[in-house]
Amino acid sequence: MTTARWNRKDLLGLRELSADEINLVLETADAFKQVGTREIKKVPALRGKTLVNFFIEPSTRTRTSFELAAFRLSADVINITASASSLSKGETLKDTAKILEANHVDIIVLRHSSAGAPQFLAERLRSSIINAGDGAHEHPTQGLLDTYTIREKKKRIEGLNVVIIGDILFSRVARSNIFALTKLGARVTVVGPSTLVPRDFEKLGVAVSYDIDKVLPTADVVNLLRIQHERQRKEYFPGVGEYIRLFGLTKERAKLLKPDCLIMHPGPINRGVEIDSEVADGNQSVILNQVTNGLAVRMAVLYLCGGIAT
Ligand code: CP
């Protein structure tokens, strides 16, 4: 059990968190996962607090998970999207957020296409700001729920070989996973086309490989990433057929994996591109466990940050 104390009003990324702080979130999520098995799944931890789910980019998993997490903690929740807000009339992000704060909102969960948008608000508002994915920068709750799922299934993180495959350059999920897993002692290898996996990633303490068939047999966990077409230029991507041939986790290629290797994907999945349908739905896949654990992890994050917000 960690003895760490939480003193952050915001969760902006995992780069700045210590191993103890990450463990504190995971242990708090353990308690909230228990709550989810009870007949009455609601606790009064955030009763009287107001949360705004402010999503400027599309989302299914993260938005619904934060909304459900807030309901389970008894917070009041409103949802705002770009098209339904005055952002579409030219209002700035800062002015929109100031309007929310003037209404005494306690927690703002922000997804934005610009890296650094959550930090921009966190520096200017008293409300808690939770990063729900900012550009290609970080997606901290995805990194935490992936780490939680590995720890739950493997009973440890330290010493595991975790292979992250795909569009690493444009992936906020890859960055948040790398920060959490390396801090907790995993060996991380990133694999993909050289245009999408620059050698520079070694500076983050991970190994870089362009040979998927060589690394798959050593993996305890593989995490497949979606190609972020919305964030990259065409010339970065070799073409769908070429990508599947070189880096797709096809049914054939999955035979290289150890029988107890976990197969993960943050979603949304491009079936038949980064992963074959049969592999995504097979018995080594923990993709739906990731979704389930996302709820407990987000309850933990809202509970910890919401307790600090003034
Ligand atoms: N994994 C993830 O962030 O999915 P959504 O875009 O559906 O939230």
Side-chain angles (χ1 to χ4, degrees), residues 191 209-218 245-250 252-254 256:
V191 186
S209 171
Y210 304 112
D211 187 349
I212 188 172
D213 295 338
K214 196 168 160 194
V215 297
L216 286 185
T218 67
R245 191 174 66 75
L246 291 173
F247 298 105
L249 190 60
T250 59
E252 272 312 301
R253 191 167 265 142
L256 294 171

Side-chain angles (χ1 to χ4, degrees), residues 120-167:
F120 177 83
L121 291 191
E123 288 166 358
R124 287 160 178 80
L125 302 184
R126 287 187 309 280
S127 314
S128 261
I129 307 295
I130 312 295
N131 181 2
D134 60 331
H137 174 229
E138 281 223 42
H139 191 348
T141 55
Q142 184 71 47
L144 290 166
L145 75 90
D146 290 345
T147 304
Y148 185 93
T149 304
I150 297 169
R151 168 182 166 274
E152 179 181 64
K153 294 287 176 189
K154 293 288 187 185
K155 311 294 177 213
R156 68 189 168 105
I157 299 292
E158 192 163 5
L160 291 177
N161 286 325
V162 179
V163 177
I164 306 177
I165 302 167
D167 177 358

Side-chain angles (χ1 to χ4, degrees), residues 55 58-63 111 132 139 142 172-173 226 266-268 298:
F55 277 63
S59 165
T60 298
R61 275 148 288 271
T62 312
R63 197 186 61 73
R111 170 166 290 190
H139 191 348
Q142 184 71 47
R172 54 198 179 204
V173 175
R226 186 175 66 85
R298 290 182 175 116

